[in-house]
Amino acid sequence: VQQMYSATKSPFALLVGRVLARGDISSLDQPLVDFVPELAGQGRAALTFRNAMAMESGLAQSPELDQGDIRAGRSQLEATLARGTTHGPYEYFIYNHAGYRILFTALERATGMSLPDLTREELFAPLGMTGAYWVEIRNDDRLLGYQSIRMRPRDLAKVGQLMLNDGLWNGSRYLSAEYIEQLRTAPAPKTNPSYGLFWHLNAGNFYLSYRESNFMRSRLLPGTPPDAYANFGNSGQIVVVVPSLDLVWVRTGRQIPSNIWTPNSTVAQLSAAVVAAAEREAVGLQGKRLVHLDDSQHHAFKPLLVAEAGIAEGLLPVVGGNGVEPFAVVRSGLSGSSAVTSRNAAIAFSHFPTRW
């Protein structure tokens, strides 16, 4: 299993939807102070699920504040309580970990369950995410909070597929289509059209960067259709959904050269390569289109044009212990293994079978 870092926000957004569907929270616009009364004061009563998920809550954020929390040994709840607000809701976008992690406490108090137990019940079990778990942050024996989820690449892919299917999983309704649409819609497009609710959007004619909120006159993923949306975690944990191509692709593993906010980023280049291969309409095993990329040459991400075992040119399915998996695994030059492991795992695929 691979630690997903900030790509955890994509499955976490599904978890929020499940808690909403259970009736434990009334709406995404419900104030967090309803569940975390300690938030009252310093403008924090305006925090809601929606504006926190949009990274537009107005809660103060800076690298200096983050480092101060670490030096002080604060829990994730204490880190939020140590900050006031600098803007009103939806006035300003900045990638805000404290605003995200206060939702852990809100969900625990709303449901009466620990975050790991809630996630096992509402996310891991229904979607068959075997071996997935939350990574704890501890100071000696004191639990400070949770860093991110460890899961298999195929499990991150399941999140993308569920989003592509408007909330359906294996033919059953997991979340409402209306909720899924909210996740991939910018709540304040004039502030930032490139971020929905814990999902990066390839929409609009500009995006805002990670820490500085600098204005970038470009789509986030040039070379990828504008209906695409994505998530990105530290070192290059990536899931991208392209509805117009019926495409989902995932990459996990070790460090890539640049993050998703860098102009002409590694993510953008990889996405453009996957999209170009998908648009060629290569059709492989049982009509399932698979894309295999090679990142062994300094992450050049050139599509491999390989014919093997009767599979159409441009495809390279990986044979596992039980035969051919329903996705392609990118073989990494960093480890030389084709196994789906935390060191090299990466997959790209579209048109998943109904059940897998």
Side-chain angles (χ1 to χ4, degrees):
V1 291
Q2 168 68 38
Q3 189 157 348
M4 294 299 166
Y5 300 102
S6 283
T8 294
K9 293 179 179 69
S10 50
F12 184 77
L14 302 184
L15 183 64
V16 173
R18 293 285 282 190
V19 173
L20 177 62
R22 284 163 51 130
D24 293 313
I25 61 179
S26 61
S27 80
L28 292 182
D29 297 310
Q30 185 169 7
L32 300 183
V33 72
D34 288 356
F35 306 103
V36 190
E38 303 98 307
L39 286 173
Q42 300 187 62
R44 293 186 302 253
L47 272 65
T48 66
F49 289 93
R50 191 185 305 277
N51 60 43
M53 294 170 73
M55 302 292 182
E56 295 168 350
S57 67
L59 188 70
Q61 170 62 33
S62 71
E64 292 74 22
L65 287 172
D66 292 341
Q67 289 302 313
D69 294 334
I70 294 171
R71 288 193 300 270
R74 295 185 182 112
S75 70
Q76 290 170 343
L77 172 59
E78 290 166 347
T80 305
L81 298 180
R83 307 175 185 215
T85 56
T86 57
H87 296 80
Y90 307 112
E91 291 179 354
Y92 181 74
F93 172 91
I94 190 166
Y95 207 79
N96 195 320
H97 289 298
Y100 156 51
R101 289 171 175 156
I102 190 59
L103 299 183
F104 301 171
T105 300
L107 290 192
E108 288 187 326
R109 294 187 182 179
T111 62
M113 301 175 68
S114 71
L115 185 63
D117 286 347
L118 177 65
T119 309
R120 279 191 291 269
E121 181 175 302
E122 296 293 344
L123 183 72
F124 298 159
L127 301 184
M129 295 179 172
T130 304
Y133 64 95
W134 278 98
V135 176
E136 294 181 343
I137 301 174
R138 288 188 171 273
N139 185 351
D140 295 325
D141 292 333
R142 183 179 180 229
L143 178 65
L144 302 181
Y146 303 93
Q147 208 289 327
S148 61
I149 293 175
R150 281 188 176 268
M151 60 170 55
R152 301 171 300 176
R154 73 187 68 182
D155 295 326
L156 186 59
K158 290 175 181 180
V159 174
Q161 189 68 23
L162 192 146
M163 293 288 293
L164 181 65
N165 291 345
D166 295 328
L168 289 175
W169 182 249
N170 282 343
S172 299
R173 178 60 62 189
Y174 177 80
L175 284 169
S176 71
E178 293 77 12
Y179 180 77
I180 298 298
E181 185 61 22
Q182 290 183 74
L183 299 184
R184 56 196 184 204
T185 301
K190 291 184 178 179
T191 299
N192 185 5
S194 68
Y195 205 77
L197 303 184
F198 285 155
W199 281 90
H200 299 281
L201 309 178
N202 204 33
N205 59 2
F206 72 91
Y207 69 91
L208 301 178
S209 65
Y210 171 47
R211 292 193 189 279
E212 301 82 11
S213 286
N214 287 340
F215 182 94
M216 303 290 184
R217 176 68 72 178
S218 168
R219 289 210 313 269
L220 190 65
L221 301 174
T224 296
D227 66 335
Y229 44 96
N231 240 301
F232 176 84
N234 187 38
S235 298
Q237 322 314 318
I238 309 163
V239 54
V240 176
V241 183
V242 189
S244 58
L245 294 176
D246 196 24
L247 175 70
V248 174
W249 68 265
V250 165
R251 185 271 179 192
T252 68
R254 295 182 180 179
Q255 184 73 47
I256 61 174
S258 61
N259 65 38
I260 196 171
W261 299 276
T262 305
N264 195 31
S265 70
T266 305
V267 183
Q269 293 178 56
L270 175 54
S271 188
V274 175
V275 165
E279 287 177 337
R280 286 195 292 269
E281 290 296 328
V283 178
L285 185 67
Q286 298 177 351
K288 306 300 185 291
R289 186 172 64 219
L290 304 176
V291 179
H292 182 202
L293 305 174
D294 179 15
D295 66 354
S296 61
Q297 301 300 316
H298 305 291
H299 301 280
F301 301 124
K302 295 181 292 186
L304 290 178
L305 299 178
V306 179
E308 178 173 300
I311 304 303
E313 186 178 35
L315 309 176
L316 184 60
V318 172
V319 179
N322 297 319
V324 178
E325 296 279 5
F327 52 81
V329 177
V330 178
R331 189 178 182 88
S332 169
L334 295 176
S335 70
S337 168
S338 62
V340 180
T341 70
S342 63
R343 293 188 177 184
N344 78 316
I347 62 179
F349 62 89
S350 66
H351 296 304
F352 254 99
T354 303
R355 296 182 180 276
W356 54 290

